[in-house]
């Protein structure tokens, strides 16, 4: 399955015939309810929250299923760091680690996220890394391609391995 952004508030999901076969379905036996279930599972796995109606277009035969959906932007703030040294320095610069911090590795960069509303921490982190939250569908890309390092409490873990 492939998820492609259309705009800041909508995405398209393509479910191939091979994806249907992987789930024990054929294009001829696919029901609207099963297509919706597959689409919701794919969006959930990618970390995309639906925010409105879902339009499903199923094409019989070899074309597969195309799903259009409105999405709700996630409430996370993302930073990327070019090196482990700058990431560890950022963790040390915060007055207290945040348990909501997650860390991933993708595209030769370290990606750290915090829940939105962490303005003070975000300001400090931006001194060491690059704020990435304005990129459309960033979370979906990271969910699909990023390799999780720590899903929670990443700053504490960094401080454990890189104290000073």
């Amino acid at each position: 399955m492939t998820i492609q952004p259309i705009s800041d508030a909508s995405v398209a999901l393509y479910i191939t015939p091979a994806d249907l076969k992987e789930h024990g379905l054929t294009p001829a036996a696919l029901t609207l309810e099963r297509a919706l279930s597959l689409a919701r599972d794919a969006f959930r796995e990618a970390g995309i929250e639906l925010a409105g109606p879902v339009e499903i277009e199923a094409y019989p035969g070899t074309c597969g299923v195309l799903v259009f959906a409105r999405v709700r932007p996630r409430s996370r703030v993302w930073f990327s760091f070019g090196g482990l040294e700058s990431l560890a320095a950022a963790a040390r610069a915060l007055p207290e680690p945040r348990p909501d911090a997650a860390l991933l590795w993708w595209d030769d960069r370290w990606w750290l996220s915090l829940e939105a509303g962490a303005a003070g921490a975000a300001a400090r982190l931006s001194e060491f890394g690059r704020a990435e939250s304005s990129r459309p569908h960033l979370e979906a890309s990271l969910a699909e391609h990023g390799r999780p390092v720590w899903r929670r409490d990443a700053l504490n873990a960094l401080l454990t391995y890189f104290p000073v």
Side-chain angles (χ1 to χ4, degrees):
M1 292 183 235
T2 303
I3 298 174
Q4 188 67 35
I6 297 173
S7 71
D8 286 343
S10 61
V11 295
L13 166 69
Y14 176 56
I15 304 170
T16 66
D19 294 324
L20 292 174
K21 185 177 179 181
E22 184 179 310
H23 288 88
L25 297 168
T26 64
L30 182 67
T31 65
L32 183 60
E33 292 79 18
R34 188 67 178 123
L36 182 59
S37 176
L38 280 174
R40 286 186 175 145
D41 289 346
F43 290 130
R44 188 175 21 263
E45 286 178 24
I48 298 173
E49 188 176 342
L50 298 177
V54 174
E55 178 183 330
I56 297 176
E57 294 186 25
Y59 301 96
T62 60
C63 293
V65 179
L66 192 55
V67 179
F68 297 99
R70 297 199 54 79
V71 296
R72 180 172 298 122
R74 296 285 303 235
S75 58
R76 303 232 12 121
V77 179
W78 287 91
F79 297 90
S80 71
F81 298 85
L84 197 52
E85 297 82 14
S86 59
L87 176 58
R92 287 190 296 270
L94 294 176
E96 62 183 58
R98 300 182 51 94
D100 62 328
L103 183 65
L104 297 110
W105 174 255
W106 176 55
D107 199 24
D108 293 327
R109 294 188 70 80
W110 298 97
W111 294 80
L112 182 74
S113 73
L114 303 173
E115 290 179 3
R124 284 262 168 103
L125 292 172
S126 68
E127 295 176 24
F128 300 90
R130 195 168 64 196
E132 301 280 1
S133 296
S134 62
R135 292 174 56 172
H137 305 290
L138 175 63
E139 290 187 39
S141 296
L142 287 167
E144 185 173 349
H145 305 291
R147 291 187 311 201
V149 177
W150 289 294
R151 295 184 191 278
R152 296 212 25 91
D153 214 12
L155 295 170
N156 263 334
L158 283 166
L159 292 173
T160 300
Y161 292 103
F162 304 98
V164 176

